[in-house]
mmCIF file of all heavy atoms in Angstrom:
data_model
loop_
_atom_site.group_PDB
_atom_site.id
_atom_site.type_symbol
_atom_site.label_atom_id
_atom_site.label_comp_id
_atom_site.label_asym_id
_atom_site.label_seq_id
_atom_site.Cartn_x
_atom_site.Cartn_y
_atom_site.Cartn_z
ATOM 1 N N LEU A 1 79.729 112.182 90.505
ATOM 2 C CA LEU A 1 79.370 112.359 91.911
ATOM 3 C C LEU A 1 80.608 112.408 92.793
ATOM 4 O O LEU A 1 81.538 111.612 92.622
ATOM 5 C CB LEU A 1 78.480 111.200 92.368
ATOM 6 C CG LEU A 1 78.107 111.156 93.849
ATOM 7 C CD1 LEU A 1 77.043 112.209 94.162
ATOM 8 C CD2 LEU A 1 77.600 109.768 94.242
ATOM 9 N N ILE A 2 80.610 113.329 93.751
ATOM 10 C CA ILE A 2 81.605 113.330 94.827
ATOM 11 C C ILE A 2 80.866 113.417 96.150
ATOM 12 O O ILE A 2 79.874 114.157 96.263
ATOM 13 C CB ILE A 2 82.624 114.475 94.676
ATOM 14 C CG1 ILE A 2 83.681 114.389 95.794
ATOM 15 C CG2 ILE A 2 81.946 115.836 94.659
ATOM 16 C CD1 ILE A 2 84.872 115.299 95.587
ATOM 17 N N ARG A 3 81.308 112.630 97.138
ATOM 18 C CA ARG A 3 80.594 112.560 98.421
ATOM 19 C C ARG A 3 81.575 112.481 99.595
ATOM 20 O O ARG A 3 82.063 111.410 99.950
ATOM 21 C CB ARG A 3 79.679 111.340 98.456
ATOM 22 C CG ARG A 3 79.034 111.090 99.828
ATOM 23 C CD ARG A 3 78.291 109.781 99.867
ATOM 24 N NE ARG A 3 77.117 109.831 99.040
ATOM 25 C CZ ARG A 3 76.659 108.793 98.337
ATOM 26 N NH1 ARG A 3 77.319 107.649 98.339
ATOM 27 N NH2 ARG A 3 75.553 108.906 97.616
ATOM 28 N N PRO A 4 81.926 113.588 100.217
ATOM 29 C CA PRO A 4 82.666 113.526 101.491
ATOM 30 C C PRO A 4 81.699 113.194 102.626
ATOM 31 O O PRO A 4 80.522 113.583 102.588
ATOM 32 C CB PRO A 4 83.232 114.939 101.631
ATOM 33 C CG PRO A 4 82.303 115.797 100.845
ATOM 34 C CD PRO A 4 81.740 114.966 99.738
ATOM 35 N N TYR A 5 82.199 112.492 103.630
ATOM 36 C CA TYR A 5 81.325 112.108 104.743
ATOM 37 C C TYR A 5 82.154 111.807 105.987
ATOM 38 O O TYR A 5 83.366 111.587 105.927
ATOM 39 C CB TYR A 5 80.473 110.887 104.378
ATOM 40 C CG TYR A 5 81.262 109.640 104.052
ATOM 41 C CD1 TYR A 5 81.563 108.691 105.026
ATOM 42 C CD2 TYR A 5 81.719 109.403 102.751
ATOM 43 C CE1 TYR A 5 82.278 107.544 104.720
ATOM 44 C CE2 TYR A 5 82.441 108.271 102.439
ATOM 45 C CZ TYR A 5 82.713 107.340 103.425
ATOM 46 O OH TYR A 5 83.442 106.206 103.118
ATOM 47 N N ALA A 6 81.472 111.792 107.123
ATOM 48 C CA ALA A 6 82.107 111.446 108.401
ATOM 49 C C ALA A 6 81.034 110.859 109.306
ATOM 50 O O ALA A 6 79.851 111.201 109.202
ATOM 51 C CB ALA A 6 82.740 112.668 109.054
ATOM 52 N N GLY A 7 81.461 109.969 110.199
ATOM 53 C CA GLY A 7 80.484 109.342 111.080
ATOM 54 C C GLY A 7 81.136 108.521 112.165
ATOM 55 O O GLY A 7 82.331 108.656 112.444
ATOM 56 N N VAL A 8 80.338 107.651 112.749
ATOM 57 C CA VAL A 8 80.812 106.808 113.841
ATOM 58 C C VAL A 8 80.080 105.470 113.800
ATOM 59 O O VAL A 8 78.885 105.417 113.464
ATOM 60 C CB VAL A 8 80.607 107.504 115.202
ATOM 61 C CG1 VAL A 8 79.127 107.746 115.481
ATOM 62 C CG2 VAL A 8 81.252 106.708 116.334
ATOM 63 N N MET A 9 80.803 104.396 114.089
ATOM 64 C CA MET A 9 80.213 103.069 114.269
ATOM 65 C C MET A 9 80.363 102.661 115.722
ATOM 66 O O MET A 9 81.354 103.021 116.372
ATOM 67 C CB MET A 9 80.906 102.031 113.377
ATOM 68 C CG MET A 9 80.700 102.235 111.901
ATOM 69 S SD MET A 9 81.380 100.877 110.893
ATOM 70 C CE MET A 9 83.157 101.161 111.085
ATOM 71 N N MET A 10 79.398 101.893 116.237
ATOM 72 C CA MET A 10 79.482 101.408 117.610
ATOM 73 C C MET A 10 78.993 99.967 117.670
ATOM 74 O O MET A 10 77.897 99.651 117.209
ATOM 75 C CB MET A 10 78.638 102.271 118.554
ATOM 76 C CG MET A 10 78.795 101.858 120.018
ATOM 77 S SD MET A 10 77.787 102.855 121.154
ATOM 78 C CE MET A 10 76.160 102.211 120.766
ATOM 79 N N ARG A 11 79.824 99.081 118.227
ATOM 80 C CA ARG A 11 79.434 97.685 118.390
ATOM 81 C C ARG A 11 78.387 97.570 119.496
ATOM 82 O O ARG A 11 78.427 98.292 120.490
ATOM 83 C CB ARG A 11 80.648 96.835 118.762
ATOM 84 C CG ARG A 11 81.831 96.959 117.812
ATOM 85 C CD ARG A 11 83.015 96.207 118.402
ATOM 86 N NE ARG A 11 84.270 96.573 117.782
ATOM 87 C CZ ARG A 11 85.003 95.750 117.018
ATOM 88 N NH1 ARG A 11 84.576 94.541 116.771
ATOM 89 N NH2 ARG A 11 86.146 96.157 116.507
ATOM 90 N N PHE A 12 77.470 96.608 119.341
ATOM 91 C CA PHE A 12 76.466 96.381 120.371
ATOM 92 C C PHE A 12 77.062 95.712 121.610
ATOM 93 O O PHE A 12 76.560 95.879 122.712
ATOM 94 C CB PHE A 12 75.323 95.527 119.825
ATOM 95 C CG PHE A 12 74.448 96.256 118.841
ATOM 96 C CD1 PHE A 12 73.884 95.579 117.781
ATOM 97 C CD2 PHE A 12 74.202 97.609 118.978
ATOM 98 C CE1 PHE A 12 73.069 96.240 116.877
ATOM 99 C CE2 PHE A 12 73.389 98.290 118.076
ATOM 100 C CZ PHE A 12 72.821 97.598 117.024
ATOM 101 N N GLY A 13 78.121 94.950 121.420
ATOM 102 C CA GLY A 13 78.790 94.278 122.533
ATOM 103 C C GLY A 13 80.262 94.121 122.235
ATOM 104 O O GLY A 13 80.716 94.353 121.104
ATOM 105 N N LYS A 14 81.052 93.706 123.237
ATOM 106 C CA LYS A 14 82.497 93.617 123.066
ATOM 107 C C LYS A 14 82.896 92.674 121.948
ATOM 108 O O LYS A 14 83.849 92.921 121.221
ATOM 109 C CB LYS A 14 83.156 93.188 124.374
ATOM 110 C CG LYS A 14 83.122 94.262 125.457
ATOM 111 C CD LYS A 14 83.851 93.786 126.701
ATOM 112 C CE LYS A 14 83.869 94.878 127.770
ATOM 113 N NZ LYS A 14 84.575 94.436 128.990
ATOM 114 N N ARG A 15 82.173 91.564 121.809
ATOM 115 C CA ARG A 15 82.511 90.593 120.774
ATOM 116 C C ARG A 15 81.386 90.429 119.756
ATOM 117 O O ARG A 15 81.327 89.437 119.035
ATOM 118 C CB ARG A 15 82.854 89.246 121.421
ATOM 119 C CG ARG A 15 84.011 89.315 122.419
ATOM 120 C CD ARG A 15 84.550 87.940 122.732
ATOM 121 N NE ARG A 15 85.142 87.296 121.574
ATOM 122 C CZ ARG A 15 86.371 87.522 121.119
ATOM 123 N NH1 ARG A 15 87.160 88.389 121.738
ATOM 124 N NH2 ARG A 15 86.814 86.889 120.054
ATOM 125 N N SER A 16 80.509 91.405 119.689
ATOM 126 C CA SER A 16 79.383 91.331 118.765
ATOM 127 C C SER A 16 79.799 91.725 117.352
ATOM 128 O O SER A 16 80.572 92.667 117.153
ATOM 129 C CB SER A 16 78.253 92.246 119.238
ATOM 130 O OG SER A 16 77.202 92.266 118.295
ATOM 131 N N SER A 17 79.278 90.998 116.364
ATOM 132 C CA SER A 17 79.495 91.367 114.972
ATOM 133 C C SER A 17 78.542 92.468 114.528
ATOM 134 O O SER A 17 78.764 93.094 113.492
ATOM 135 C CB SER A 17 79.298 90.143 114.064
ATOM 136 O OG SER A 17 80.277 89.171 114.314
ATOM 137 N N TRP A 18 77.496 92.692 115.302
ATOM 138 C CA TRP A 18 76.489 93.684 114.930
ATOM 139 C C TRP A 18 76.714 94.998 115.672
ATOM 140 O O TRP A 18 77.220 95.018 116.788
ATOM 141 C CB TRP A 18 75.091 93.151 115.241
ATOM 142 C CG TRP A 18 74.683 92.018 114.365
ATOM 143 C CD1 TRP A 18 74.794 90.682 114.653
ATOM 144 C CD2 TRP A 18 74.128 92.101 113.057
ATOM 145 N NE1 TRP A 18 74.343 89.930 113.606
ATOM 146 C CE2 TRP A 18 73.922 90.771 112.607
ATOM 147 C CE3 TRP A 18 73.787 93.165 112.216
ATOM 148 C CZ2 TRP A 18 73.383 90.485 111.359
ATOM 149 C CZ3 TRP A 18 73.250 92.882 110.970
ATOM 150 C CH2 TRP A 18 73.043 91.553 110.553
ATOM 151 N N GLY A 19 76.333 96.070 114.995
ATOM 152 C CA GLY A 19 76.471 97.379 115.607
ATOM 153 C C GLY A 19 75.573 98.387 114.917
ATOM 154 O O GLY A 19 74.768 98.047 114.042
ATOM 155 N N ALA A 20 75.721 99.634 115.306
ATOM 156 C CA ALA A 20 74.967 100.737 114.707
ATOM 157 C C ALA A 20 75.948 101.763 114.163
ATOM 158 O O ALA A 20 77.105 101.824 114.585
ATOM 159 C CB ALA A 20 74.042 101.363 115.737
ATOM 160 N N PHE A 21 75.482 102.553 113.225
ATOM 161 C CA PHE A 21 76.310 103.630 112.697
ATOM 162 C C PHE A 21 75.440 104.860 112.459
ATOM 163 O O PHE A 21 74.222 104.784 112.314
ATOM 164 C CB PHE A 21 76.998 103.214 111.394
ATOM 165 C CG PHE A 21 76.089 103.171 110.199
ATOM 166 C CD1 PHE A 21 75.931 104.278 109.377
ATOM 167 C CD2 PHE A 21 75.358 102.022 109.906
ATOM 168 C CE1 PHE A 21 75.085 104.252 108.286
ATOM 169 C CE2 PHE A 21 74.501 101.986 108.815
ATOM 170 C CZ PHE A 21 74.365 103.100 108.005
ATOM 171 N N ALA A 22 76.100 106.004 112.417
ATOM 172 C CA ALA A 22 75.456 107.270 112.050
ATOM 173 C C ALA A 22 76.492 108.114 111.338
ATOM 174 O O ALA A 22 77.673 108.101 111.701
ATOM 175 C CB ALA A 22 74.919 107.992 113.278
ATOM 176 N N ASN A 23 76.065 108.838 110.305
ATOM 177 C CA ASN A 23 77.012 109.688 109.598
ATOM 178 C C ASN A 23 76.297 110.878 108.958
ATOM 179 O O ASN A 23 75.070 110.928 108.886
ATOM 180 C CB ASN A 23 77.803 108.894 108.551
ATOM 181 C CG ASN A 23 76.916 108.159 107.570
ATOM 182 O OD1 ASN A 23 75.863 108.664 107.174
ATOM 183 N ND2 ASN A 23 77.331 106.969 107.173
ATOM 184 N N VAL A 24 77.093 111.821 108.532
ATOM 185 C CA VAL A 24 76.616 112.975 107.774
ATOM 186 C C VAL A 24 77.343 112.968 106.432
ATOM 187 O O VAL A 24 78.550 112.713 106.374
ATOM 188 C CB VAL A 24 76.847 114.299 108.541
ATOM 189 C CG1 VAL A 24 78.319 114.493 108.869
ATOM 190 C CG2 VAL A 24 76.317 115.485 107.756
ATOM 191 N N LEU A 25 76.577 113.192 105.343
ATOM 192 C CA LEU A 25 77.126 113.110 103.995
ATOM 193 C C LEU A 25 76.779 114.370 103.211
ATOM 194 O O LEU A 25 75.712 114.950 103.401
ATOM 195 C CB LEU A 25 76.550 111.897 103.240
ATOM 196 C CG LEU A 25 76.528 110.535 103.925
ATOM 197 C CD1 LEU A 25 75.173 110.304 104.571
ATOM 198 C CD2 LEU A 25 76.814 109.420 102.944
ATOM 199 N N MET A 26 77.678 114.733 102.322
ATOM 200 C CA MET A 26 77.446 115.863 101.425
ATOM 201 C C MET A 26 77.595 115.357 99.995
ATOM 202 O O MET A 26 78.686 114.954 99.585
ATOM 203 C CB MET A 26 78.456 116.978 101.703
ATOM 204 C CG MET A 26 78.388 118.141 100.732
ATOM 205 S SD MET A 26 76.951 119.161 100.994
ATOM 206 C CE MET A 26 77.191 120.421 99.725
ATOM 207 N N ASP A 27 76.488 115.322 99.242
ATOM 208 C CA ASP A 27 76.518 114.860 97.856
ATOM 209 C C ASP A 27 76.583 116.044 96.896
ATOM 210 O O ASP A 27 75.858 117.034 97.074
ATOM 211 C CB ASP A 27 75.257 114.060 97.531
ATOM 212 C CG ASP A 27 75.391 112.595 97.905
ATOM 213 O OD1 ASP A 27 76.309 112.270 98.677
ATOM 214 O OD2 ASP A 27 74.575 111.791 97.422
ATOM 215 N N TYR A 28 77.432 115.921 95.880
ATOM 216 C CA TYR A 28 77.426 116.899 94.799
ATOM 217 C C TYR A 28 77.529 116.157 93.475
ATOM 218 O O TYR A 28 78.455 115.359 93.266
ATOM 219 C CB TYR A 28 78.568 117.903 94.905
ATOM 220 C CG TYR A 28 78.584 118.836 93.710
ATOM 221 C CD1 TYR A 28 77.633 119.851 93.596
ATOM 222 C CD2 TYR A 28 79.493 118.652 92.668
ATOM 223 C CE1 TYR A 28 77.604 120.680 92.485
ATOM 224 C CE2 TYR A 28 79.473 119.476 91.549
ATOM 225 C CZ TYR A 28 78.523 120.488 91.470
ATOM 226 O OH TYR A 28 78.484 121.293 90.364
ATOM 227 N N SER A 29 76.555 116.398 92.588
ATOM 228 C CA SER A 29 76.544 115.805 91.252
ATOM 229 C C SER A 29 76.684 116.910 90.209
ATOM 230 O O SER A 29 76.129 118.003 90.365
ATOM 231 C CB SER A 29 75.245 115.038 91.020
ATOM 232 O OG SER A 29 75.124 114.656 89.661
ATOM 233 N N THR A 30 77.379 116.593 89.122
ATOM 234 C CA THR A 30 77.614 117.583 88.068
ATOM 235 C C THR A 30 76.487 117.625 87.037
ATOM 236 O O THR A 30 76.629 118.260 85.991
ATOM 237 C CB THR A 30 78.932 117.272 87.338
ATOM 238 O OG1 THR A 30 78.835 115.975 86.727
ATOM 239 C CG2 THR A 30 80.114 117.326 88.290
ATOM 240 N N LEU A 31 75.369 116.969 87.297
ATOM 241 C CA LEU A 31 74.275 116.951 86.313
ATOM 242 C C LEU A 31 73.850 118.373 85.929
ATOM 243 O O LEU A 31 73.936 119.301 86.737
ATOM 244 C CB LEU A 31 73.078 116.165 86.842
ATOM 245 C CG LEU A 31 72.214 116.782 87.955
ATOM 246 C CD1 LEU A 31 71.089 117.650 87.404
ATOM 247 C CD2 LEU A 31 71.636 115.697 88.832
ATOM 248 N N ARG A 32 73.382 118.525 84.696
ATOM 249 C CA ARG A 32 72.880 119.806 84.206
ATOM 250 C C ARG A 32 71.475 119.606 83.645
ATOM 251 O O ARG A 32 71.259 118.723 82.809
ATOM 252 C CB ARG A 32 73.794 120.369 83.116
ATOM 253 C CG ARG A 32 75.194 120.729 83.587
ATOM 254 C CD ARG A 32 75.179 121.978 84.467
ATOM 255 N NE ARG A 32 76.511 122.441 84.810
ATOM 256 C CZ ARG A 32 77.195 122.038 85.867
ATOM 257 N NH1 ARG A 32 76.663 121.142 86.688
ATOM 258 N NH2 ARG A 32 78.401 122.505 86.120
ATOM 259 N N ALA A 33 70.532 120.435 84.119
ATOM 260 C CA ALA A 33 69.165 120.418 83.606
ATOM 261 C C ALA A 33 68.686 121.860 83.496
ATOM 262 O O ALA A 33 67.959 122.362 84.365
ATOM 263 C CB ALA A 33 68.255 119.606 84.517
ATOM 264 N N PRO A 34 69.067 122.577 82.426
ATOM 265 C CA PRO A 34 68.752 124.009 82.307
ATOM 266 C C PRO A 34 67.260 124.315 82.344
ATOM 267 O O PRO A 34 66.860 125.367 82.846
ATOM 268 C CB PRO A 34 69.361 124.370 80.942
ATOM 269 C CG PRO A 34 70.403 123.340 80.692
ATOM 270 C CD PRO A 34 69.893 122.083 81.312
ATOM 271 N N ASP A 35 66.419 123.403 81.841
ATOM 272 C CA ASP A 35 64.977 123.653 81.836
ATOM 273 C C ASP A 35 64.410 123.769 83.252
ATOM 274 O O ASP A 35 63.354 124.384 83.442
ATOM 275 C CB ASP A 35 64.248 122.533 81.090
ATOM 276 C CG ASP A 35 64.550 122.540 79.593
ATOM 277 O OD1 ASP A 35 65.108 123.553 79.117
ATOM 278 O OD2 ASP A 35 64.234 121.542 78.918
ATOM 279 N N TYR A 36 65.111 123.168 84.213
ATOM 280 C CA TYR A 36 64.666 123.230 85.610
ATOM 281 C C TYR A 36 65.631 124.050 86.464
ATOM 282 O O TYR A 36 65.572 123.997 87.691
ATOM 283 C CB TYR A 36 64.536 121.812 86.179
ATOM 284 C CG TYR A 36 63.512 120.975 85.448
ATOM 285 C CD1 TYR A 36 63.911 120.101 84.439
ATOM 286 C CD2 TYR A 36 62.162 121.065 85.749
ATOM 287 C CE1 TYR A 36 62.982 119.333 83.757
ATOM 288 C CE2 TYR A 36 61.220 120.290 85.069
ATOM 289 C CZ TYR A 36 61.643 119.438 84.077
ATOM 290 O OH TYR A 36 60.709 118.670 83.397
ATOM 291 N N ASP A 37 66.529 124.746 85.790
ATOM 292 C CA ASP A 37 67.494 125.620 86.454
ATOM 293 C C ASP A 37 68.432 124.857 87.382
ATOM 294 O O ASP A 37 68.837 125.370 88.433
ATOM 295 C CB ASP A 37 66.765 126.737 87.223
ATOM 296 C CG ASP A 37 67.690 127.918 87.519
ATOM 297 O OD1 ASP A 37 68.658 128.111 86.754
ATOM 298 O OD2 ASP A 37 67.459 128.623 88.521
ATOM 299 N N TYR A 38 68.778 123.628 87.008
ATOM 300 C CA TYR A 38 69.769 122.862 87.764
ATOM 301 C C TYR A 38 71.120 122.958 87.066
ATOM 302 O O TYR A 38 71.276 122.485 85.937
ATOM 303 C CB TYR A 38 69.353 121.397 87.894
ATOM 304 C CG TYR A 38 68.388 121.140 89.024
ATOM 305 C CD1 TYR A 38 67.070 120.808 88.767
ATOM 306 C CD2 TYR A 38 68.813 121.247 90.342
ATOM 307 C CE1 TYR A 38 66.175 120.576 89.799
ATOM 308 C CE2 TYR A 38 67.936 121.017 91.390
ATOM 309 C CZ TYR A 38 66.620 120.689 91.114
ATOM 310 O OH TYR A 38 65.734 120.466 92.148
ATOM 311 N N LYS A 39 72.084 123.550 87.758
ATOM 312 C CA LYS A 39 73.463 123.613 87.278
ATOM 313 C C LYS A 39 74.344 122.758 88.179
ATOM 314 O O LYS A 39 75.393 123.164 88.646
ATOM 315 C CB LYS A 39 73.941 125.066 87.278
ATOM 316 C CG LYS A 39 73.085 125.981 86.416
ATOM 317 C CD LYS A 39 73.501 127.430 86.560
ATOM 318 C CE LYS A 39 72.595 128.339 85.749
ATOM 319 N NZ LYS A 39 72.956 129.767 85.923
ATOM 320 N N GLY A 40 73.876 121.558 88.443
ATOM 321 C CA GLY A 40 74.451 120.671 89.440
ATOM 322 C C GLY A 40 73.382 120.349 90.461
ATOM 323 O O GLY A 40 72.375 121.068 90.582
ATOM 324 N N PHE A 41 73.599 119.269 91.180
ATOM 325 C CA PHE A 41 72.636 118.887 92.213
ATOM 326 C C PHE A 41 73.401 118.512 93.476
ATOM 327 O O PHE A 41 74.280 117.650 93.449
ATOM 328 C CB PHE A 41 71.786 117.702 91.757
ATOM 329 C CG PHE A 41 70.710 117.333 92.738
ATOM 330 C CD1 PHE A 41 69.492 117.989 92.717
ATOM 331 C CD2 PHE A 41 70.930 116.350 93.701
ATOM 332 C CE1 PHE A 41 68.490 117.669 93.625
ATOM 333 C CE2 PHE A 41 69.949 116.019 94.604
ATOM 334 C CZ PHE A 41 68.724 116.681 94.571
ATOM 335 N N SER A 42 73.075 119.157 94.585
ATOM 336 C CA SER A 42 73.753 118.862 95.844
ATOM 337 C C SER A 42 72.737 118.711 96.963
ATOM 338 O O SER A 42 71.638 119.285 96.911
ATOM 339 C CB SER A 42 74.767 119.960 96.195
ATOM 340 O OG SER A 42 74.129 121.207 96.316
ATOM 341 N N SER A 43 73.112 117.929 97.960
ATOM 342 C CA SER A 43 72.247 117.715 99.116
ATOM 343 C C SER A 43 73.098 117.379 100.334
ATOM 344 O O SER A 43 74.212 116.855 100.216
ATOM 345 C CB SER A 43 71.241 116.586 98.853
ATOM 346 O OG SER A 43 71.908 115.353 98.645
#
């Protein structure tokens, strides 16, 4: 598996330990399943 990604985190307050995050990810796996015509799996 290889997964490049990018996103952002934001604290709920100036001294808060809690926050929210959002990101976009691209997954690519080298799996092979010829019976189902998979020559890799990506999402």
Side-chain angles (χ1 to χ4, degrees):
L1 175 75
I2 183 169
R3 172 188 291 145
Y5 61 93
V8 63
M9 293 187 289
M10 185 181 73
R11 306 173 196 248
F12 289 146
K14 289 183 178 180
R15 302 196 64 81
S16 175
S17 295
W18 291 96
F21 75 92
N23 55 37
V24 58
L25 312 96
M26 174 73 179
D27 274 16
Y28 176 74
S29 170
T30 61
L31 73 88
R32 295 288 187 271
D35 292 347
Y36 298 97
D37 200 26
Y38 277 110
K39 302 174 183 178
F41 184 85
S42 60
S43 63

